[in-house]
């Protein structure tokens, strides 16, 4: 693929803190497109100045995206090129751009994405949580009822859940996580990524809440909140069932479950419940 600028809409990620986190291609595209549609032109001017980018900007944000999309499409149809940027990270990821991109796609306008910074992926990659299967859920609702409903929906979630959260709400959200998902659910927070005070906190929800409350500095800045998925329940294998039966011939169910759990490194309560539900105790 050569890097010549086409008549198209370019989706260009920008740094999430450290200004050096911009790709050579992103700078090249921003320098050479006809226009840049920016979420906040004043904010993005700093980035443009830093890289000597002189391209004309226009504003394209949540509140004018639908009005501006015809202007944008017509500009591209006239043979011009436009780059879309947000204040930080990848446009459209909890940022404006969805209406414009879907409109362009519907009308057959070429949309060219550039890879680059995204807080969710940056945090996840260093979190130590499973990354093979995860869900990104953006910002959690602010209203208590909706927040609890959304958290209840991930009670049995086995995938890593990734959220964005603000400094104003991080403690409130942790309280809700603690309440709905329990104090033992593992939470990892990626704070101020790529910046001076970058930190990762990895604690069960209850302890995380205490940890954040202990020091107001820990609730400053920007946050990616990650909630570990629950362990998938292992099928009780035929071998384990056989062992349970043998043990139960010799001892009470509770003791059998405890010994069997130790042998196979399973949870004794699960074995106990399994034996009751599957009538192992009755077969004696
Ligand atoms: N589009 C952006 C992206 O690709 O990451 C996200 C935009 S969203 C409006 C902003 C939220 O992203 C912040 O409230 C915070 O939750 C998260 N975020 C952005 N920069 C971050 C950083 N440097 N460290 C931690 N979280 C960050």
């Amino acid at each position: 693929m050569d890097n010549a600028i086409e008549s198209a809409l370019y989706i260009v990620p920008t740094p999430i803190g450290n200004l050096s986190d911009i790709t050579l291609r992103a700078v090249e595209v921003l320098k050479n497109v006809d226009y840049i549609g920016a979420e906040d032109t004043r904010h993005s001017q700093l980035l443009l100045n830093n890289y000597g980018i002189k391209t004309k900007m226009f504003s394209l944000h949540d509140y004018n995206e639908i009005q501006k999309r015809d202007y944008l499409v017509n500009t591209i149809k006239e043979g011009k090129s436009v780059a879309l940027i947000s204040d930080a990270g990848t446009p459209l990821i909890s940022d404006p751009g969805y209406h414009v991109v879907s409109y362009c796609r519907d009308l057959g306008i070429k949309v060219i994405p550039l890879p680059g910074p995204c807080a969710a992926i940056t945090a996840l990659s260093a979190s130590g949580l499973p990354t093979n299967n995860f869900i990104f859920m953006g910002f959690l609702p602010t209203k208590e009822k909706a927040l609890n409903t959304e958290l209840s929906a991930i009670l049995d979630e086995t995938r890593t859940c990734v959220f964005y959260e603000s400094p104003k709400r991080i403690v409130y959200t942790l309280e809700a996580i603690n309440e709905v998902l329990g104090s033992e659910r593992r939470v990892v927070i990626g704070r101020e990524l790529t910046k001076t005070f970058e930190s990762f906190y990895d604690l069960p929800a209850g302890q995380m809440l205490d940890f954040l409350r202990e020091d107001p500095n820990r609730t400053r800045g920007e946050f990616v909140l990650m909630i570990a998925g629950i362990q998938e329940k292992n099928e009780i294998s035929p071998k384990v069932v056989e062992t349970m039966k043998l043990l139960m011939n010799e001892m009470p169910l509770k003791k059998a479950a405890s010994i069997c759990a130790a042998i196979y490194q399973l949870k004794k309560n699960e074995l106990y419940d399994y034996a009751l539900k599957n009538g192992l105790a009755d077969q004696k």
Side-chain angles (χ1 to χ4, degrees), residues 230-269:
I230 59 161
Q231 301 284 308
E232 275 189 78
K233 288 202 173 66
N234 289 326
E235 286 265 312
I236 309 278
S237 73
K239 201 166 144 195
V240 174
V241 175
E242 225 21 67
T243 310
M244 272 297 284
K245 282 183 186 165
L246 289 172
L247 289 169
M248 284 165 63
N249 284 335
E250 305 300 324
M251 60 192 76
L253 168 59
K254 202 167 167 191
K255 196 160 182 207
S258 173
I259 292 176
C260 196
I263 297 171
Y264 294 105
Q265 293 175 350
L266 297 167
K267 290 203 170 109
K268 61 179 175 206
N269 290 350

Side-chain angles (χ1 to χ4, degrees), residues 16 88 90 93-95 118-119 139 164-165 193 195 222-224:
I16 57 168
T90 302
I93 307 303
S94 293
D95 263 342
C118 175
F139 286 95
Y164 286 155
E165 195 44 277
L193 300 168
K195 303 188 215 175
E222 297 193 279
F223 299 88
V224 179

